[in-house]
Amino acid sequence: MQFADFWYIVALSEQLQPNKVLSRTVLGEWLAIFRGEDGQPVALRVGVARRRHRFIYSLAIVF
């Protein structure tokens, strides 16, 4: 198994406040972490486009 095959804690529940986005890097992947409209935690993987501008390219819901 590789490191990417495991779950990693990126934020504690109390750190995920409404209308607040947290930025984290895990195993070289940039993530945007926040609570969705329903209050559930959401993690978006952030990619790099030309000229080093970040963009969001996939969605993963974290429970």
Side-chain angles (χ1 to χ4, degrees), residues 13-44:
S13 182
E14 56 267 12
Q15 293 175 307
L16 296 176
Q17 301 297 319
N19 302 314
K20 181 179 177 184
V21 178
L22 301 176
S23 175
R24 298 288 190 267
T25 304
V26 178
L27 299 175
E29 296 281 345
W30 290 329
L31 302 172
I33 314 294
F34 60 95
R35 287 197 182 276
E37 290 181 8
D38 61 357
Q40 291 295 312
V42 176
L44 297 175

